[in-house]
Amino acid sequence: MSHETPATDRPLTTALAEAAGMAGHAPSVHNTQPWHWTVLPDALELRVVRERHLSVLDPEGRLLVLSCGVALHHARMALAAEGWTPVVERVPDPGQPDLLARLTGFKPTGADPDAMRTVQCMQVRHTDRRPVSEEPIPTAVLGEIDRAATREGVNLQVLNDDQKIELAAAAQQAAAVEKGSPDLQEELAYWTTRARAGTGLPPEVVPERAPETTVPARDFGPGTLPVGEGHDRAAVYGILWGTEDEPDSWLRAGEALSAAWLTATRHGVSLVPLSGVVEVDSTRQTLRQMLSGLGFPYISMRLGLADPTHAGPPHTPRLDVAQTVDTSAVRGQLS
């Protein structure tokens, strides 16, 4: 198979390296960026970085792998924008548990304009934890976000009013449990004070006080992001879920979250993941009951039209590409 794409006349290895770099824009739990890419002559491998695992908050690694899944979808979209469609092998080798995905079998398919727009959304997407506007999300837009997740093999359950109240109660319960864990509070403090290292959450993206929201958001401590007035009564809450509770399904959940989030960004919809309720065993079971026991909740989220009176918060810091992408195997092939 030729390693040249008719769309750009650039080597496949260049596209792989750039896609891995673009994946660095992906959101991750507490901005830990727990991924590492290896660029090979005809493959791209994604591994998890255990040193950036929130081992107290996420002992089984669900959110760790989900975060890597978000990065995987980002890389896939960047490759599609360049005209390459890979075969994706998820968790391909039981003997290498840190190897989460291998992208191989690349076929030149021509640059995808829709994927190009998605790549643009990666660069402007941010997490805004403040209340959204009073304007409801158009039904057609919500449908597009739903379909984006479903195409990745994961379900999006939009909650009704009674379920929103249940979710709010579960979030409060999870927050109380986590507040009672000194180890967890120490871990949280670490990731909210290390932004200068290229990871974590700096104070300028954390609200200066608890926002007025239907479902309470995580308390990251005092930040400097102005909140203003307003509530989020027009917000929509949802749960991403599936029928399996294994690493490959957590990875797909991350891909679905990425697809939903980038679709939301394209339509001016703010998406905020709410991970607290899946971190605590008892509240994760509450979400399972909300799903009628049909499957396993991966993460919950809030969706709403961004408040037009607010400038978006700054982007969280990112690790340097050299820290997350290894191109040593193809150094002489990059252009």
Side-chain angles (χ1 to χ4, degrees):
M1 185 187 75
S2 169
H3 285 176
E4 302 291 322
T5 169
T8 62
D9 291 328
R10 296 197 306 160
L12 170 62
T13 48
T14 300
L16 296 179
E18 290 185 357
M22 185 59 64
H25 288 287
S28 54
V29 59
H30 296 0
N31 193 31
T32 48
Q33 301 165 63
W35 47 73
H36 189 268
W37 298 91
T38 304
V39 181
L40 301 171
D42 56 0
L44 182 62
E45 294 183 340
L46 168 63
R47 286 176 173 80
V48 68
V49 178
R50 299 289 173 186
E51 291 78 12
R52 296 200 283 275
H53 177 198
L54 298 162
S55 56
V56 182
L57 177 147
D58 180 34
E60 292 176 304
R62 287 186 180 89
L63 296 173
L64 176 77
V65 174
L66 186 147
S67 296
C68 290
V70 179
L72 174 58
H73 181 265
H74 274 49
R76 285 172 44 211
M77 290 301 99
L79 287 166
E82 282 283 307
W84 292 103
T85 300
V87 173
V88 182
E89 302 170 2
R90 294 171 181 82
V91 197
D93 184 353
Q96 297 187 65
D98 290 351
L99 178 60
L100 294 182
R102 183 183 289 124
L103 283 65
T104 59
F106 291 90
K107 293 181 180 176
T109 50
D112 180 343
D114 194 58
M116 289 179 185
R117 288 191 289 273
T118 300
V119 169
Q120 291 170 346
C121 290
M122 292 177 198
Q123 299 172 73
V124 300
R125 181 215 58 79
H126 54 255
T127 306
D128 193 341
R129 296 172 176 85
R130 297 172 293 182
V132 292
S133 77
E134 296 291 326
E135 189 179 344
I137 302 172
T139 303
V141 171
L142 194 57
E144 278 196 48
I145 295 169
D146 186 355
R147 285 190 293 276
T150 303
R151 279 195 295 271
E152 299 302 322
V154 176
N155 305 292
L156 174 58
Q157 170 79 35
V158 174
L159 304 186
N160 61 33
D161 289 342
D162 289 341
Q163 291 171 325
K164 279 188 208 174
I165 295 169
E166 284 186 74
L167 180 64
Q172 286 179 318
Q173 182 185 344
V177 170
E178 294 191 333
K179 207 167 187 72
S181 167
D183 289 346
L184 192 146
Q185 292 305 308
E186 183 181 339
E187 186 175 72
L188 183 64
Y190 177 81
W191 289 100
T192 51
T193 55
R194 57 172 284 125
R196 279 170 292 183
T199 56
L201 301 173
E204 55 266 27
V205 304
V206 176
E208 61 187 0
R209 59 179 171 81
E212 294 291 325
T213 55
T214 304
V215 177
R218 187 191 299 277
D219 179 9
F220 286 105
T224 60
L225 181 64
V227 175
E229 300 306 314
H231 200 279
D232 66 348
R233 281 174 285 268
V236 170
Y237 288 85
I239 301 170
L240 280 178
W241 66 278
T243 56
E244 303 290 336
D245 191 25
E246 301 295 335
D248 63 333
S249 52
W250 306 339
L251 195 66
R252 285 184 184 275
E255 293 174 89
L257 176 60
S258 173
W261 204 332
L262 295 172
T263 302
T265 299
R266 184 183 297 189
H267 292 285
V269 173
S270 167
L271 188 154
V272 178
L274 304 168
S275 62
V277 286
V278 298
E279 295 162 9
V280 174
D281 288 341
S282 60
T283 52
R284 192 166 63 249
Q285 287 304 315
T286 299
L287 296 197
R288 281 207 73 186
Q289 291 163 11
M290 291 166 65
L291 299 169
S292 304
L294 296 174
F296 298 92
Y298 301 132
I299 200 160
S300 59
M301 65 178 72
R302 184 197 75 179
L303 297 154
L305 293 178
D307 189 331
T309 63
H310 284 154
H315 291 276
T316 48
R318 287 295 183 267
L319 291 167
D320 188 78
V321 170
Q323 294 174 267
T324 60
V325 183
D326 178 5
T327 59
S328 58
V330 296
R331 196 152 288 147
Q333 302 176 39
L334 299 178
S335 63

